[in-house]
């Protein structure tokens, strides 16, 4: 039997386990939103308290994290149809497996995360070819913009499950700093309302990540577009909108409806101009 890989990460970095376990679990559902066999393999390989993680992850939690990936995959595929030789940057990549679901054989992929997360990623999921580059830096170390280089063939940035952990002022400075330097790029990230923070924080704590706090709560994308003349709204997507039919429990269906009514979680799709 192969040796399991120990996971030693900081308190925010270890939250990367939640989307990973969700994608693995979703893949086992009937009619899954994502068929992520890579995530299933990775989850088997890591040495963590799986029982505890699985016990505390709910069906709505699994669907929420996978809906985010599903909509981002859709947007990346659309982008790649227009920009087949473009670049995709995943900020706070963790053990994200988007490349394996969406690669077109031509695009250049960049996965950026803190050094300990990238070390784990490199160990478990080494770059599969020269078109995939890992960047071990904080997103607040803006030298990553030079690492990405020329973006004349298009750049699509995803930031799944990262910005809600930052204070609003940090997010404002981050987006207003990168926007004028990456004109033409599209960016997509998930946001949570102040109300939604309460529920999601509870789930993160229940999964044993007691020190990872959600900070940024937001409802209206105008707050973000008002931060800089270089940020333009493409669209917002409410979580679970146009969700493909599957066999959820009644409690999950009710929770999804509740989430939609109160705009608890959304995706913001923006363009830098
Ligand atoms: C909830 S996980 C999301 C992982 C991945 N995006 C996914 O959906 O599977 C949050 C990620 O943000 C990363 N992160 C936290 N602070 C960061 C920073 N300052 N710069 C880059 N990544 C950061 C963590 O290391 C972790 O991988």
């Amino acid at each position: 039997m192969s040796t399991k890989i120990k996971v030693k990460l900081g308190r925010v970095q270890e939250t990367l386990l939640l989307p990973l376990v969700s994608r693995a679990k979703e893949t086992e559902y009937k009619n899954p939103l994502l068929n992520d066999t890579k995530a299933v393999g990775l989850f088997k390989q890591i040495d963590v308290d799986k029982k505890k993680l699985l016990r505390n992850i709910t069906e709505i939690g699994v669907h929420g994290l996978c809906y985010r990936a599903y909509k981002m995959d859709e947007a990346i595929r659309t982008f790649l149809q227009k920009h087949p030789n473009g670049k995709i940057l995943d900020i706070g990549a963790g053990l994200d497996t988007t490349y394996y679901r969406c690669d077109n054989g031509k695009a250049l992929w960049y996965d950026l995360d803190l050094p300990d997360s990238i070390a784990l990623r490199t160990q478990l999921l080494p770059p599969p070819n020269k078109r995939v580059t890992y960047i071990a830096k904080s997103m607040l170390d803006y030298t990553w913009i030079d690492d990405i280089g020329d973006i004349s063939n298009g750049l699509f940035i995803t930031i799944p499950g990262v910005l809600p952990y930052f204070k609003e002022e940090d997010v404002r400075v981050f987006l207003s700093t990168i926007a004028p330097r990456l004109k033409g790029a599209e960016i997509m990230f998930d946001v949570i309302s102040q109300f939604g923070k309460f529920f999601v924080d509870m789930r993160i704590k229940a999964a044993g990540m007691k020190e990872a706090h959600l900070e940024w709560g937001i409802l209206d994308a105008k707050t973000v577009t008002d931060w800089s003349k270089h940020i333009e709204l493409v669209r917002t997507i409410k979580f679970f909108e146009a969700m493909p039919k599957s066999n959820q429990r009644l409690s999950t269906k009710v929770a999804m409806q509740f989430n939609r009514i109160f705009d608890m979680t959304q995706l913001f799709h923006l363009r830098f101009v």
Side-chain angles (χ1 to χ4, degrees):
M1 214 173 113
S2 61
T3 332
K4 301 245 180 197
I5 308 277
K6 275 249 174 253
V7 175
K8 277 193 167 174
L9 292 168
R11 61 191 167 84
V12 174
Q13 292 90 311
E14 69 176 358
T15 57
L16 63 81
L17 294 172
L18 296 174
L20 177 70
V21 62
S22 298
R23 293 196 307 275
K25 206 161 157 58
E26 176 81 33
T27 301
E28 291 165 4
Y29 289 158
K30 206 172 161 197
N31 307 321
L33 272 173
L34 303 171
N35 187 12
D36 198 334
T37 47
K38 199 82 188 167
V40 174
L42 286 174
F43 190 56
K44 283 192 185 132
Q45 256 182 292
I46 53 175
D47 183 7
V48 290
D49 187 346
K50 290 182 183 156
K51 275 200 187 128
K52 187 170 175 192
L53 263 179
L54 287 167
R55 199 171 49 235
N56 287 305
I57 190 148
T58 55
E59 194 177 54
I60 177 88
V62 169
H63 282 328
L65 292 170
C66 291
Y67 181 83
R68 175 175 88 197
Y70 166 74
K71 294 309 275 188
M72 286 188 171
D73 284 6
E74 236 178 41
I76 288 174
R77 289 193 189 106
T78 305
F79 168 83
L80 287 178
Q81 274 166 13
K82 281 192 232 145
H83 308 275
N85 298 307
K87 295 182 173 179
I88 312 286
L89 165 65
D90 186 350
I91 293 185
L95 292 174
D96 199 0
T97 40
T98 310
Y99 163 86
Y100 298 91
R101 299 190 301 271
C102 300
D103 182 42
N104 65 352
K106 291 182 186 162
L108 298 182
W109 295 77
Y110 298 84
D111 294 293
L112 178 145
D113 207 315
L114 295 170
D116 55 348
S117 296
I118 287 291
L120 179 69
R121 185 176 178 88
T122 307
Q123 200 178 2
L124 281 162
L125 205 60
N129 57 54
K130 289 209 166 79
R131 290 186 296 107
V132 180
T133 305
Y134 292 174
I135 303 174
K137 283 181 184 171
S138 166
M139 64 186 212
L140 304 177
D141 168 355
Y142 300 108
T143 58
W144 61 258
I145 297 178
D146 303 322
D147 300 332
I148 303 296
D150 177 32
I151 59 163
S152 55
N153 284 332
L155 171 67
F156 197 96
I157 306 172
T158 55
I159 321 187
V162 181
L163 297 184
Y165 291 99
F166 285 80
K167 293 202 185 330
E168 174 158 310
E169 178 57 10
D170 297 334
V171 178
R172 187 192 66 75
V173 171
F174 171 71
L175 291 175
S176 359
T177 303
I178 66 169
R181 295 187 58 188
L182 294 170
K183 283 186 193 165
E186 288 178 60
I187 181 164
M188 202 169 183
F189 51 85
D190 51 316
V191 296
I192 188 157
S193 67
Q194 291 292 353
F195 180 52
K197 254 169 60 175
F198 171 76
F199 293 97
V200 176
D201 226 7
M202 222 161 51
R203 284 207 299 267
I204 296 173
K205 303 278 183 299
M209 296 159 195
K210 298 209 178 342
E211 288 180 72
H213 301 295
L214 293 177
E215 299 278 356
W216 185 39
I218 179 167
L219 206 52
D220 189 350
K222 190 169 179 308
T223 307
V224 176
T225 50
D226 281 351
W227 285 339
S228 163
K229 63 176 185 192
H230 299 290
I231 305 178
E232 193 177 271
L233 181 67
V234 176
R235 60 188 170 141
T236 58
I237 305 166
K238 287 183 190 209
F239 266 48
F240 309 121
E241 228 170 38
M243 170 106 170
K245 288 220 178 323
S246 66
N247 310 329
Q248 295 109 7
R249 292 186 197 115
L250 180 63
S251 57
T252 303
K253 286 188 178 144
V254 171
M256 290 200 302
Q257 186 64 8
F258 189 72
N259 200 303
R260 266 193 300 254
I261 292 170
F262 291 101
D263 282 346
M264 278 167 55
T265 36
Q266 303 178 71
L267 286 161
F268 287 178
H269 183 173
L270 312 167
R271 183 179 293 114
F272 296 150
V273 290

